[in-house]
Amino acid sequence: HPPTFCAIRTDRWKLVDYYWGKDEVYDLANDRLELSNRILDPSVANIVADLRRRLAVLCDPEPPRKLDDYARG
């Protein structure tokens, strides 16, 4: 089965790309416990875009985008 998520972590940031589309990004320097998902915060949009580009290279295969795709395996 393909993975249900892919993630990338730097010294400061963590991006989790879930197959169901509820992605998360955390500022690990200021939120060690990962309590504040900043995925919709426009002030970190460039960081999220960079992490997504890097994740696209690392995540193979990419998680399916629909539950139906995952169920088909």
Side-chain angles (χ1 to χ4, degrees), residues 38-58:
R38 301 203 35 210
I39 196 72
L40 299 177
D41 182 342
S43 72
V44 299
N46 289 338
I47 293 163
V48 172
D50 178 58
L51 291 171
R52 286 192 192 285
R53 280 190 295 275
R54 294 166 69 180
L55 188 61
V57 173
L58 297 172

Side-chain angles (χ1 to χ4, degrees), residues 8-66:
I8 185 169
R9 179 185 171 163
T10 67
D11 288 340
R12 178 157 182 191
W13 297 95
K14 178 179 176 182
L15 171 70
V16 184
D17 178 8
Y18 290 105
Y19 74 95
W20 56 84
K22 299 288 184 183
D23 298 346
E24 299 174 356
V25 68
Y26 298 101
D27 179 352
L28 300 174
N30 295 303
D31 182 18
R32 282 189 356 239
L33 298 177
E34 301 176 17
L35 299 175
S36 180
N37 182 4
R38 301 203 35 210
I39 196 72
L40 299 177
D41 182 342
S43 72
V44 299
N46 289 338
I47 293 163
V48 172
D50 178 58
L51 291 171
R52 286 192 192 285
R53 280 190 295 275
R54 294 166 69 180
L55 188 61
V57 173
L58 297 172
C59 187
D60 184 23
E62 185 176 321
R65 293 293 156 209
K66 296 179 184 173

